[in-house]
Amino acid sequence: MALIFQYLKQLRGRLAWSMGLKFFASIFELFLPRILTHIIDEIVPLGEIKIVVFWGLLMVAVAGLTTFMNVVANRAAVRNARDVAFSVRRDLFGKTARLSGSRFDLFTLPSLTSRMTSDSYNIQQFAQTLQAMCVRAPFLMLGGIIMMYTMDVVLASILVAIIIPLGLFIFLVSRKGIPLFNVVQEKLDTVVRIMRENITGIRVVKALSKKDYEERRFDEANEAMFRSNTKASAIMALPGPVMNLCLNAGLALVVYVGAMRVNAGAMKAGVILGSLTYFNTILMSVMALNRIFIMMSKAAASARRIEEVLVSPEDQPVLEPQACLSPAGKELVRMENVTFRYQEAADPLSRQQQTPALRNISFALKEGESLGIIGPTGAGKSTVLQLLMRFYDVKEGGVFIDGRDVRGFDKDELRRYFGVVFQNDIVFNDSLFNNIDFGRSLSQEQVDGAVTHAMAADFVYGLKGGLDFVADIKGANLSGGQKQRLLIARALAGKPRILILDDSSSALDYRTDAQLRKTLGEHYQNSTLIMIAQRVSSIRNLTNILVLKDGACIGYGPHDHLMEHCAYYRDICQAQMGALE
Ligand code: ADP
Ligand code: MG
């Protein structure tokens, strides 16, 4: 909650304006029934039509002014709330982009998404209601009660006698109902998750005829949400009718008691009309306060979720040179005895039971050399890349680039070394040129060169518009091989010192794959290549090959060496060559 107020504080001046306007509008609003009473009781009996018209016009003017001020104030409130949500989202997005890999894993992608969307929206709604209601509602309620007391003590007492138990009732119901809405929110999360899985996996669901199963799964989750929602809504719907009952009973009482008192000569008839209006206003304010209360608890939950991300501490600081490890050799890329687990358990005992994604991996690559990594899925191949680029920090062993501990680099400086195509990398919904340039302000020649070298020229210049062709979301209007070539062009375009291709040639046909390797050898001799591949043919000519299995290195060296000494490598090789023949 402190978070929301921190953001609101940045808009102090504008908030003072919108809430000040609301305040004055409320004062005027409060005087309207009073003027009405005055007209009926004091002005009309005078029998002077001109004076009546004058007071009538005055009343219209006050009402007009009140409405005008309310409109202006509400518009300002909406704008302020929008700006608060804007800043929250901007900060949240920035922070998310800077999260370390392990923190990102901890929060998870869907949860981060909903924090940036629906949670921020709850904050916006609350900020808006807060400005519109938090001055006006209590002011109208208290002011209304005081006004009624100044007109007639008995009628005012009836009102208070109804308001206090009603307020208490609403408060108690809300306190019981609000936690139920949190349950609904959780159940909704489940429904959304299942829906997401289904929509993303729609093809496999259809292909495996799992429709019935999936429908049942969805129905169950949906049913659960339906039940908790019904329960919560039934409870939260109680105050509405109760309030109506109280309102109408109160109005009847005011009319009845008022009429008796007028007959007895204890008060004038106009007071009844004025009181009726106040009565209405006051009950509406009670309702509005209740609404603020509900929104506040919703917003507080959302603010907590957003705050968690915003205040999550920097867990990958740039280390001082003294704190960095020094490598045994000064090669461009070097790993020394790295053992790595994605989720580090705190206590050493359970840590030993966790299987590491990499165990005791060492290799070194000089400038211009190349490394192939091969091994079954889940062997830890992609993990090696993540560690080289410091998406995660290692606790055992050291990772070095250019003879320096990666933890001593400024993040941007470190990542400028790399051109990379990740496994399942993404094509953005943008022109091909921008997809390759990627905000690096490359020249047309650089992009053209990269396209040619990535073997993408044939298809790119064949498309309508060439490099201006716009790719759909996730590159849906390109084929798998086209996407890969585009991504390779992106990685090549910056002429990186270290070029990393994670399983990036798998969607290329053998001939293109071979040509690509040839081009890389010709035009990128200065780039140090790390290539993860399924096919031995893609990596057999590289300087060294690292064979990984279950996170361990079971072979390291050039192709011929491995053919002689690594049974596993020989097996894959024979299986693949056999398949080729
Ligand atoms: P490969 O690229 O060789 O197929 P990875 O390096 O992606 O394998 O994964 C190695 C192991 O680490 C696998 O068991 C995988 O489940 C696990 N792993 C990968 N990424 C994460 C992650 N973000 N959180 C937890 N475990 C992970
Ligand atoms: Mg992988």
Side-chain angles (χ1 to χ4, degrees), residues 101-102 104-106 340-343 355-358 373-386 392 423 502-503 532 534 548 550-551:
S102 22
F104 199 91
D105 292 346
L106 222 58
F340 175 75
R341 295 174 182 81
Y342 276 99
Q343 273 104 20
T355 44
L358 287 179
I373 306 180
I374 197 164
T377 37
K381 304 182 296 293
S382 302
T383 306
V384 171
L385 311 186
Q386 310 235 39
Y392 297 85
Q423 201 171 9
D502 188 351
D503 213 2
I532 294 177
Q534 300 292 337
L548 285 180
D550 297 331

Side-chain angles (χ1 to χ4, degrees), residues 66 95 285 348 426 537:
T66 312
K95 180 77 185 194
S285 314
I426 247 184
S537 62

Side-chain angles (χ1 to χ4, degrees), residues 471-482:
D472 279 351
I473 297 171
K474 285 191 184 171
N477 53 351
L478 298 172
S479 78
Q482 289 174 336

